[in-house]
Amino acid sequence: MKIMRLGESGSEQPAVLVPSADGVDRYFSLLPLTNDVNGAFLAAGGLDKTRKALEAGELPVLEGAAALRVGSPVARPGCVVGIGMNYAAHAAESGAEPPTIPVVFLKPSNTVTGPFDPAPLPPRSTQYDWEVELGIVIGREASYLGSTEEAAACIAGYVTANDFSEREYQLPGAAGQWTKGKSLPGSTPLGPWLVPAEETDGGNLRLRSWVNGEPRQDSTSAELIFDAPTLVHHCSQYMRLEPGDVILTGTPQGVALSGRFPYLQPGDVVEVEVDGLGRQRQELYRTPAATAV
């Protein structure tokens, strides 16, 4: 089953998509169970409740669902945690050695957007980059966990993510800071759906990206330096992860930072996909600079 949020931004409704053997997708409303797909829903065993309600035929069909806007499958997270250089080949193309401990940074939760929403380029950005990533959705509180087994039990599921990054703000010079390059509006598209952890192998999923239809990245989560349970366990030693929080596990090689491809421009179309977790599409547009009053 695939957990979704459908509708206009700020008015999304919770839903579940169930593929069928006849190839016809069926959408069901989750309103009998919850008003939204958020931390409270996940912490209360919402995914198990959804599965049981589907089996019992207790969820109403959501008519016209396929025509609705697709929002982030998780309502605004309390925290979005980014992991840097978690693929050896990407670290190499970035001019860095593979890390021996996870590189952790935070993204504001207000960067989260839907998987097909237009993506804003900052007014003066010249080095805007794409990053396909496997996203972890936390399902229960994780703090000072004692083992990766405990950490795995805290993973509710996985999502496709794109971590748009402005490299000029992120890296070079005295003012270069990861937070500045990773905090821009609309820079964290999630979805289109959340797949429960027990229904997919988060340790072996293919990740791909395209720009204007041309292939850019092609790797698998089996190549992660630090896998999902390791990341949850590690982060729990330094912060309290709460239900609904999202961890972006890092991107593989094939980004513009490598020097092999141009950075993004207005009108470019970026697509990213993680097998089983769905494909995103964003068209870039330039955000106008503020004018003096």
Side-chain angles (χ1 to χ4, degrees), residues 62-242:
L62 184 57
E63 300 292 348
L68 296 176
R69 169 187 172 270
V70 180
S72 164
V74 183
R76 184 168 168 170
C79 187
V80 179
V81 182
I83 304 298
M85 297 185 293
N86 199 19
Y87 290 80
H90 174 59
E93 73 176 359
S94 304
E97 292 294 324
T100 56
I101 59 173
V103 176
V104 180
F105 60 93
L106 299 179
K107 289 175 67 78
S109 62
N110 64 9
T111 62
V112 171
T113 187
F116 307 111
D117 293 340
L121 273 165
R124 288 169 290 277
S125 169
T126 61
Q127 296 183 14
Y128 211 54
D129 211 345
W130 62 89
E131 291 191 356
V132 61
E133 306 207 12
L134 172 66
I136 303 166
V137 179
I138 301 298
R140 64 178 70 172
E141 184 176 295
S143 182
Y144 300 119
L145 297 175
S147 67
T148 54
E149 289 75 20
E150 289 181 40
C154 294
I155 299 174
Y158 297 96
V159 296
T160 298
N162 189 350
D163 178 18
F164 282 118
S165 306
E166 216 306 329
R167 304 302 189 187
E168 186 177 10
Y169 303 169
Q170 177 190 352
L171 297 172
Q177 298 176 22
W178 282 51
T179 296
K180 291 179 179 178
K182 299 281 190 174
S183 299
L184 297 157
S187 63
T188 317
L190 299 179
W193 48 69
L194 161 66
V195 174
E198 60 268 27
E199 296 185 16
T200 189
D201 181 4
N204 190 24
L205 296 174
R206 188 180 184 187
L207 298 88
R208 289 177 289 174
S209 68
W210 300 259
V211 176
N212 300 326
E214 298 180 357
R216 290 293 185 261
Q217 296 169 279
D218 191 346
S219 187
T220 79
S221 59
E223 297 179 16
L224 285 166
I225 298 172
F226 307 104
D227 65 11
T230 299
L231 293 174
V232 174
H233 174 263
H234 180 83
C235 290
S236 80
Q237 309 306 308
Y238 303 95
M239 64 187 76
R240 177 185 292 121
L241 298 170
E242 297 180 336

Side-chain angles (χ1 to χ4, degrees), residues 267-281:
D268 284 347
V269 173
V270 176
E271 295 171 277
V272 302
E273 181 177 47
V274 179
D275 278 3
L277 305 182
R279 185 163 175 152
Q280 303 182 0
R281 182 185 187 277

Side-chain angles (χ1 to χ4, degrees), residues 31 96 278:
L31 287 175

